[in-house]
Amino acid sequence: KAGVTQTPRYLIKTRGQQVTLSCSPISGHRSVSWYQQTPGQGLQFLFEYFSETQRNKGNFPGRFSGRQFSNSRSEMNVSTLELGDSALYLCASSLGGTGGSPLHFGNGTRLTVT
Amino acid sequence: AQKVTQAQTEISVVEKEDVTLDCVYETRDTTYYLFWYKQPPSGELVFLIRRNSFDEQNEISGRYSWNFQKSTSSFNFTITASQVVDSAVYFCALRGGSNDYKLSFGAGTTVTVRA
């Protein structure tokens, strides 16, 4: 079974630009979550989608948005990039997204904002 | 709110030594779930183990074992006979009961296993 696939692996953008990151979950998984990882803040929850509906959102500004498609694939968008948005963005999928259902993570997209 | 504390920032051991990683959590939920993840240099978070709050039985899986104690809110993880390939950052994580869709992670513990 293929794992969670994130594209691209690396991205370099300039302040003020916007970026879209893509995530393909494990086949059969309907929940997709996004996390931001930085040296200073660690792993922080961005949002979670299930059957195209956002069920929960973390404490991030509105510049961070996402969506999920009918095939469970998900995209995350960050507009008006700031230097502080430089991070590893991790996507995870799971069967239900709650309870004991473990998250399975992709390799991440490393975003650098200059 | 959920909180996970991993007091150990870094641990360095020689191959074949045992490594125990500490994790202390805080939650008001009566039902919750605890996880351990491993993050090698490649960046991917790899799921290792899961424990439900209502099952305090400790288990061993290969070289991994864990000690879950509700009385002290601890969920410690041990790697027996460590190997160089075990070098990674290890994260403890917590998810609450129903309608909790996020994992709350600890800060991570960097494990270095020297040959």
Side-chain angles (χ1 to χ4, degrees):
Chain A
K1 212 177 207 183
V4 177
T5 303
Q6 290 188 246
T7 56
R9 285 298 307 277
Y10 302 93
L11 211 48
I12 300 176
K13 290 287 188 179
T14 304
R15 264 183 306 176
Q17 288 186 315
Q18 74 166 17
V19 67
T20 299
L21 312 181
S22 181
C23 172
S24 293
I26 292 173
S27 177
H29 285 190
R30 296 170 65 188
S31 168
V32 174
S33 304
W34 289 88
Y35 288 78
Q36 181 197 63
Q37 185 176 26
T38 59
Q41 299 298 317
L43 282 153
Q44 293 187 287
F45 171 75
L46 281 156
F47 25 65
E48 188 265 357
Y49 288 88
F50 184 88
S51 292
E52 302 179 68
T53 300
Q54 184 183 90
R55 296 194 294 190
N56 202 3
K57 190 179 191 316
N59 295 324
F60 280 83
R63 300 185 296 107
F64 290 81
S65 63
R67 59 177 175 169
Q68 185 182 34
F69 302 96
S70 58
N71 60 0
S72 293
R73 193 177 67 84
S74 177
E75 287 182 347
M76 189 192 107
N77 185 275
V78 187
S79 62
T80 318
L81 284 166
E82 301 176 359
L83 294 179
D85 297 333
S86 295
L88 179 66
Y89 290 88
L90 291 161
C91 169
S93 74
S94 69
L95 285 171
T98 63
S101 179
L103 300 186
H104 298 274
F105 286 82
N107 284 327
T109 293
R110 186 164 294 282
L111 172 65
T112 301
V113 182
T114 62
Chain B
Q2 327 285 9
K3 184 179 179 182
V4 177
T5 302
Q6 294 179 252
Q8 304 152 306
T9 305
E10 296 183 32
I11 297 176
S12 181
V13 298
V14 176
E15 215 170 12
K16 297 184 182 176
E17 286 185 349
D18 295 348
V19 181
T20 295
L21 307 179
D22 298 334
C23 173
V24 174
Y25 61 91
E26 294 177 32
T27 180
R28 292 182 181 176
D29 291 341
T30 53
T31 298
Y32 51 89
Y33 304 86
L34 295 158
F35 305 82
W36 276 97
Y37 282 85
K38 170 184 178 181
Q39 187 175 40
S42 60
E44 179 183 0
L45 276 165
V46 179
F47 165 67
L48 296 176
I49 58 172
R50 170 193 56 209
R51 174 55 63 201
N52 308 326
S53 60
F54 42 87
D55 181 0
E56 288 195 68
Q57 181 179 357
N58 294 309
E59 296 183 22
I60 297 174
S61 175
R63 294 188 298 110
Y64 298 154
S65 63
W66 47 97
N67 188 334
F68 173 44
Q69 293 194 345
K70 275 177 96 168
S71 60
T72 56
S73 297
S74 66
F75 184 49
N76 298 337
F77 176 70
T78 297
I79 305 171
T80 302
S82 61
Q83 301 174 2
V84 173
V85 293
D86 295 327
S87 296
V89 183
Y90 289 81
F91 292 95
C92 180
L94 165 70
R95 182 196 276 140
S98 60
N99 299 323
D100 188 355
Y101 306 112
K102 73 173 188 180
L103 281 181
S104 296
F105 286 89
T109 299
T110 300
V111 174
T112 302
V113 181
R114 309 185 308 275

